[in-house]
């Protein structure tokens, strides 16, 4: 049995299959030619070549290859020899626009085809382009990415809104997304609406307002509009030329959308832009009284006060409403005695008890800033000046920032012309000693402007003592805040920029000839020290020719005043007959005349009319000053 089982043969059926060898033999029998590759091998080889070619098309050229292709493709307008290619280059943009070769485009953008499949990489590269200001390359890369470029296009829109302040370009980017096959994601509409709402340089056009309403309508119909988009759209419509669209959207009853604090904030801003006064008062009154008490906070009431401030109206009802509203809702502590010079607004304000609020809100720097601006606008400058001065010693002083001090300095200059210089100087000392307020050149300019205005008043320039006090205080202010130590002279001297303010102050003070000879001599000596210290060297300062000419002309006028004071009536031209001290005065006056001529040469050199160079004139000016300064110091005869 075992043997029979071992010897048993199994029968298998065999189906013949064509092989590569059989295929080659068949081909040989038919055509008497033996092929190298079978059909299957050829198909496999073709597929490998296709995949290799596909992979190659996703890679960028080397920079040398790319330059060769550009020179070969554009023989009629060859690129410059120093042409740079790559993501950081600015000189390859024209070839990016002209070329249809994807590999060349990849080289210029610094990417490859595989990266176009990664939305994060695209967004990151676009951010890099935008940081370098290369908007064209950022847009081109986003267009190549198509469906993967949604986030990148959002970044481009934000760049147009926030960095370039070109809202229409951002709107165009939004509209062209469909054409470029770049989808809109969940952030795109909010970025568009928010960007339009925050534009301060220009209002949104009526066409754009219609577009916003259409977008919102489609979102409502699809049930996709959310609270953030709703408020952002309200903000954009509130910033339109015609704010009717904001009220249309506000009145719509939309499922899932509620009226929150942000909604009412945008509506108050929309109310502030209503054209007629009667309609403005009616709408803002209707809005403020319907706001629920649970939503009322300091920000909303601040916007309510700001709505009155933003109106340009001669009517006392609106003109002074902001001041009274701020005092009604915030702890400004403006007593009737404090407000005695402010006309009554006659506007009926809702008290805080209307919303079941039992005490006023505390102030912050925004409230104080609006209060100061409202005082300036309503010509109630003394109210803001007194309030700020009274609170410099209280806890509220930490809320005073640089813009508030700018406004107060301007208010002092406008309101107190006979004392504004000294007042602004004292206030500057306080601000300089306070923490959190940076030193500002603009603040210095305002103080100089105050001294110039004070010097212009006849109350000051007709009195010898007042003139002298003003100039002394001004020089003290310069010494404390602007003087620079000179290694050459081993002492502090005035910098060059001071004289563009100091010379006009002296000129105003001397309108009635009340500036003393000693003061003129002192200022002249300071000016000569500035030249000797090298601070008057025009080659080291980046300023316009007009500024340089202005300063030189002011210096000439000042020196001419000093020269006139040194005139010797009755002098017959014989120097030997003059006493020793008067002879010194004569020589000093002659050197001052040469200094005046030197400054005139400098002006003609600025205009390109002088044969001498500025360096030659500057060297001559220094040499002349070296001789003049000791002479002026030795001269004991009054000018």
């Amino acid at each position: 049995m075992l043997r029979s089982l071992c010897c048993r043969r199994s029968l298998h059926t065999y189906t013949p299959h064509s092989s590569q060898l059989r295929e080659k033999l068949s081909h040989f029998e038919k055509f008497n030619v033996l092929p190298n590759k079978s059909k299957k091998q050829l198909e496999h080889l073709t597929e490998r070549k296709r995949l290799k070619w596909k992979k190659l098309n996703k890679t960028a050229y080397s920079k040398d290859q790319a330059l060769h292709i550009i020179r070969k493709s554009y023989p009629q307008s060859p690129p410059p020899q120093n042409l740079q290619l790559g993501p950081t280059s600015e000189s390859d943009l024209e070839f990016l626009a002209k070329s249809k070769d994807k590999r060349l485009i990849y080289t210029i953008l610094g990417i490859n085809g595989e990266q176009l499949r990664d939305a994060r990489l695209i967004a990151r590269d676009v951010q890099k382009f935008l940081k370098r200001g290369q908007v064209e390359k950022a847009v081109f890369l986003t267009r190549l990415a198509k469906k993967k470029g949604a986030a990148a296009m959002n970044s481009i829109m934000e760049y147009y809104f926030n960095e370039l302040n070109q809202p229409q370009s951002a709107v165009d980017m939004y509209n062209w997304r469909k054409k470029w096959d770049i989808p809109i994601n969940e952030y795109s509409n909010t970025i568009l609406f928010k960007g339009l709402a925050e534009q301060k340089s220009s209002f949104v056009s009526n066409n754009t307002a219609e577009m916003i309403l259409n977008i919102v309508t489609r979102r409502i119909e699809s049930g996709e509009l959310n609270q953030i988009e709703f408020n952002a759209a309200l903000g954009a419509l509130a910033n339109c030329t015609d704010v009717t669209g904001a009220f249309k959207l506000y009145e719509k009853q939309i499922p899932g959308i509620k009226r929150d604090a942000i909604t009412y904030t945008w509506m108050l801003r929309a109310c502030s832009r209503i054209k007629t006064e009667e309609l403005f008062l009616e709408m803002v009154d209707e809005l403020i009284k319907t706001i629920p008490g649970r939503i009322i906070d300091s920000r909303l009431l601040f916007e309510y006060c700001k709505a009155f401030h933003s109106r340009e109206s001669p009517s006392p009802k609106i003109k002074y409403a902001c001041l009274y509203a701020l005092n009604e809702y915030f702890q400004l502590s403006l007593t009737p005695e404090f407000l005695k010079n402010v006309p009554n607004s006659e506007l009926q304000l809702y008290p805080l008890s209307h919303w079941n609020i039992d005490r006023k809100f505390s102030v912050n720097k925004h409230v104080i800033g609006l209060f100061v601006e409202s005082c300036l606008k309503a010509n109630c400058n003394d109210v803001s000046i007194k309030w700020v001065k009274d609170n410099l010693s209280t806890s509220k002083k930490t809320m005073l920032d640089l813009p508030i001090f700018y406004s107060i300095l301007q208010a002092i200059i406008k309101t107190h012309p006979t004392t504004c210089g000294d007042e602004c100087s004292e206030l500057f000392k306080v601000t300089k000693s306070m923490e959190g307020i940076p030193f500002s050149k603009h603040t210095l300019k305002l103080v100089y402007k105050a001294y110039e205005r004070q010097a212009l008043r006849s109350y000051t320039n007709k009195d010898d003592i007042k003139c002298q006090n003003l100039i002394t205080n001004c020089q003290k202010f310069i010494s404390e805040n602007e003087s620079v130590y000179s290694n050459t002279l081993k002492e502090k001297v005035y910098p060059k920029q001071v004289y563009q303010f100091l010379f006009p102050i002296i000129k105003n003070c001397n309108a009635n000839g009340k500036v003393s000879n000693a003061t003129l001599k002192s200022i002249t000596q300071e000016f000569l020290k500035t030249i000797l210290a090298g601070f008057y060297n025009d080659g080291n300062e980046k300023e316009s020719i007009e500024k340089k000419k202005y300063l030189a002309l002011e210096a000439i006028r000042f020196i001419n005043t000093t020269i006139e004071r040194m005139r010797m009536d009755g002098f017959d031209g014989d120097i030997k007959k003059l006493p020793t001290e008067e002879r010194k005065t004569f020589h000093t006056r002659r050197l001052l005349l040469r200094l005046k001529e030197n400054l005139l040469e400098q002006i003609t050199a600025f205009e390109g009319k002088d044969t001498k160079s500025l360096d030659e004139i500057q060297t001559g000016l220094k040499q002349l000053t070296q001789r003049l300064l000791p002479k002026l110091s030795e001269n004991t005869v009054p000018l």
Side-chain angles (χ1 to χ4, degrees):
M1 176 66 82
L2 181 61
R3 185 176 178 182
S4 63
L5 289 172
C6 292
C7 295
R8 184 180 296 172
R9 299 177 65 189
S10 299
L11 297 175
H12 299 278
T13 57
Y14 174 72
T15 304
H17 292 284
S18 62
S19 64
Q20 295 180 15
L21 179 60
R22 186 186 294 276
E23 186 180 336
K24 288 180 181 181
L25 289 173
S26 300
H27 190 276
F28 179 74
E29 288 176 357
K30 288 182 181 179
F31 303 104
N32 202 26
V33 176
L34 184 65
N36 291 328
K37 299 281 189 297
S38 67
K39 184 179 179 182
K40 191 172 184 180
Q41 287 175 321
L42 286 172
E43 287 175 355
H44 181 66
L45 186 62
T46 303
E47 181 64 17
R48 283 183 64 187
K49 286 182 179 179
R50 189 185 69 80
L51 291 173
K52 186 177 179 181
W53 181 253
K54 185 178 179 182
K55 186 176 180 180
L56 185 66
N57 276 336
K58 290 183 179 182
T59 61
Y61 291 127
S62 68
K63 291 187 178 180
D64 290 337
Q65 281 180 299
L67 284 170
H68 174 73
I69 289 170
I70 287 174
R71 292 191 179 101
K72 184 179 177 181
S73 303
Y74 307 102
Q76 298 175 349
S77 56
Q81 292 295 324
N82 59 347
L83 175 65
Q84 298 293 320
L85 296 177
T88 59
S89 174
E90 295 283 355
S91 58
D92 53 7
L93 280 175
E94 62 171 307
F95 304 108
L96 185 64
K98 288 179 182 178
S99 179
K100 294 183 179 179
D101 186 340
K102 281 192 175 182
R103 296 186 67 190
L104 178 59
I105 293 170
Y106 294 160
T107 304
I108 294 173
L109 294 177
I111 60 166
N112 58 53
E114 288 297 327
Q115 290 175 328
L116 291 175
R117 300 169 63 184
D118 192 324
R120 286 188 178 183
L121 286 176
I122 296 300
R124 189 178 65 187
D125 286 347
V126 164
Q127 287 284 0
K128 290 178 182 177
F129 282 132
L130 295 177
K131 282 181 181 178
R132 294 193 291 263
Q134 297 173 297
V135 187
E136 295 88 351
K137 287 190 174 183
V139 173
F140 209 96
L141 175 55
T142 308
R143 289 182 63 181
L144 281 178
K146 293 188 177 180
K147 292 182 179 180
K148 299 293 183 179
M153 183 55 78
N154 289 345
S155 298
I156 294 171
M157 288 171 59
E158 286 181 323
Y159 186 81
Y160 273 116
F161 278 128
N162 303 330
E163 301 298 328
L164 300 182
N165 293 320
Q166 296 177 5
Q168 188 54 51
S169 297
V171 173
D172 292 340
M173 289 292 115
Y174 181 89
N175 289 330
W176 291 341
R177 293 175 81 127
K178 186 175 181 181
K179 176 183 174 183
W180 293 337
D181 198 21
I182 301 172
I184 292 171
N185 64 13
E186 64 271 24
Y187 304 109
S188 304
N189 290 327
T190 304
I191 289 169
L192 174 69
F193 299 153
K194 185 180 177 183
L196 292 172
E198 293 176 352
Q199 288 302 305
K200 296 178 181 178
S201 57
S202 60
F203 294 121
V204 179
S205 67
N206 291 336
N207 289 336
T208 305
E210 289 180 12
M211 183 192 81
I212 294 167
L213 284 172
N214 289 336
I215 294 170
V216 172
T217 301
R218 289 196 297 271
R219 298 286 288 176
I220 293 171
E221 290 172 353
S222 63
E224 296 175 330
L225 185 72
N226 57 46
Q227 188 72 37
I228 295 174
E229 283 181 331
F230 174 76
N231 286 333
L234 266 183
L237 293 169
N239 201 27
C240 288
T241 307
D242 184 1
V243 295
T244 307
F247 288 94
K248 285 182 181 178
L249 180 57
Y250 173 77
E251 290 170 359
K252 285 187 177 182
Q253 298 299 320
I254 307 168
I257 301 299
K258 60 183 180 180
R259 302 324 188 238
D260 58 12
I262 298 173
T263 306
Y264 288 111
T265 298
W266 286 122
M267 290 310 299
L268 283 168
R269 293 186 187 180
C271 287
S272 68
R273 301 201 49 249
I274 294 173
K275 293 180 180 179
T276 61
E277 287 184 15
E278 294 79 7
L279 186 58
F280 160 71
L281 290 171
E282 180 184 342
M283 295 301 295
V284 79
D285 182 74
E286 184 65 28
L287 187 68
I288 197 70
K289 76 178 180 182
T290 56
I291 300 177
R294 58 183 174 78
I295 290 178
I296 285 287
D297 58 9
S298 60
R299 290 186 180 183
L300 262 179
L301 291 176
F302 175 80
E303 286 295 334
Y304 177 55
C305 299
K306 196 175 177 182
F308 292 104
H309 175 70
S310 63
R311 303 289 300 183
E312 294 293 338
S313 173
S315 169
K317 197 169 192 178
I318 295 177
K319 190 175 182 179
Y320 306 106
C322 182
L323 287 175
Y324 283 98
L326 286 168
N327 189 45
E328 179 73 25
Y329 302 129
F330 297 93
Q331 296 171 7
L332 283 171
S333 305
L334 300 180
T335 61
E337 180 66 21
F338 213 102
L339 292 169
K340 65 181 179 181
N341 295 324
V342 182
N344 188 9
S345 171
E346 301 177 358
L347 183 72
Q348 297 299 318
L349 297 169
Y350 289 95
L352 287 171
S353 58
H354 177 76
W355 299 284
N356 295 323
I357 300 172
D358 56 359
R359 63 177 180 175
K360 295 181 180 181
F361 293 99
S362 58
V363 298
N364 54 41
K365 67 178 181 180
H366 303 292
V367 173
I368 297 171
L370 183 60
F371 164 67
V372 171
E373 287 178 14
S374 296
C375 289
L376 285 173
K377 189 174 180 179
N379 294 321
C380 303
N381 298 323
D382 280 324
V383 175
S384 60
I385 295 168
K386 186 176 184 306
W387 190 92
V388 169
K389 286 183 176 180
D390 288 351
N391 285 278
L392 285 174
S393 58
T394 68
S395 59
K396 291 187 177 71
K397 72 177 183 180
T398 57
M399 301 172 193
L400 304 177
D401 58 9
L402 209 53
I404 292 172
F405 277 107
Y406 287 162
S407 299
I408 291 299
L409 289 173
Q410 289 169 347
I412 291 172
I413 293 169
K414 184 178 179 181
T415 312
H416 304 156
T418 58
T419 58
C420 56
D422 297 329
E423 285 188 55
C424 288
S425 177
E426 288 299 318
L427 191 59
F428 178 82
K429 287 180 185 178
V430 176
T431 60
K432 193 176 178 183
S433 64
M434 290 174 63
E435 295 182 2
I437 298 182
F439 181 82
S440 168
K441 289 288 184 183
H442 183 64
T443 317
L444 289 171
K445 289 180 181 179
L446 286 173
V447 176
Y448 290 132
K449 183 180 176 182
Y451 274 120
E452 189 176 346
R453 179 168 168 77
Q454 185 176 340
L456 191 62
R457 304 294 291 185
S458 58
Y459 174 83
T460 303
N461 60 40
K462 285 186 177 181
D463 188 296
D464 300 13
I465 298 173
K466 288 175 182 173
C467 269
Q468 185 58 45
N469 289 339
L470 185 146
I471 295 171
T472 301
N473 292 339
C474 184
Q475 285 189 279
K476 183 181 177 183
F477 177 79
I478 293 170
S479 299
E480 291 175 352
N481 299 289
E482 294 239 65
S483 293
V484 183
Y485 184 78
S486 167
N487 291 322
T488 306
L489 301 179
K490 305 301 179 185
E491 63 177 311
K492 283 190 171 184
V493 298
Y494 295 173
K496 176 183 175 180
Q497 65 269 16
V498 160
Y499 293 100
Q500 64 180 313
F501 307 108
L502 182 57
F503 286 149
I505 290 169
I506 301 296
K507 181 176 69 176
N508 289 349
C509 272
N510 199 42
N512 292 293
K514 298 298 182 180
V515 176
S516 67
N517 295 337
T519 300
L520 289 175
K521 179 179 175 180
S522 171
I523 301 296
T524 306
Q525 286 175 315
E526 291 295 340
F527 181 60
L528 295 176
K529 288 177 184 178
T530 300
I531 296 173
L532 273 181
F535 298 151
Y536 197 74
N537 186 359
D538 295 281
N540 294 335
E541 296 191 24
K542 295 179 180 179
E543 58 183 357
S544 66
I545 297 298
E546 291 303 317
K547 282 187 177 180
K548 293 176 182 178
K549 285 170 60 178
Y550 171 78
L551 180 57
L553 284 169
E554 288 296 329
I556 289 167
R557 292 190 186 102
F558 172 76
I559 291 167
N560 198 53
T561 303
T562 308
I563 291 169
E564 288 298 316
R565 292 288 182 92
M566 300 176 74
R567 185 183 294 278
M568 297 178 183
D569 296 329
F571 175 59
D572 60 359
D574 190 354
I575 302 174
K576 295 179 181 180
K577 294 181 180 180
L578 291 174
T580 303
E581 293 302 329
E582 289 187 4
R583 196 179 305 142
K584 288 181 180 178
T585 302
F586 174 82
H587 287 300
T588 305
R589 185 175 187 272
R590 189 166 62 180
L591 287 173
L592 283 171
L593 284 167
R594 287 181 60 186
L595 177 65
K596 176 183 172 182
E597 290 172 3
N598 198 301
L599 290 170
L600 283 169
E601 285 181 352
Q602 200 176 46
I603 292 173
T604 54
F606 289 148
E607 295 172 344
K609 299 176 182 177
D610 202 296
T611 54
K612 291 183 181 179
S613 69
L614 279 169
D615 290 337
E616 289 178 306
I617 295 169
Q618 189 68 32
T619 303
L621 190 62
K622 269 195 172 184
Q623 292 172 350
L624 180 60
T625 307
Q626 286 172 346
R627 294 175 56 195
L628 178 56
L629 188 59
K631 291 277 186 184
L632 196 63
S633 302
E634 292 171 6
N635 187 12
T636 57
V637 176
L639 299 180

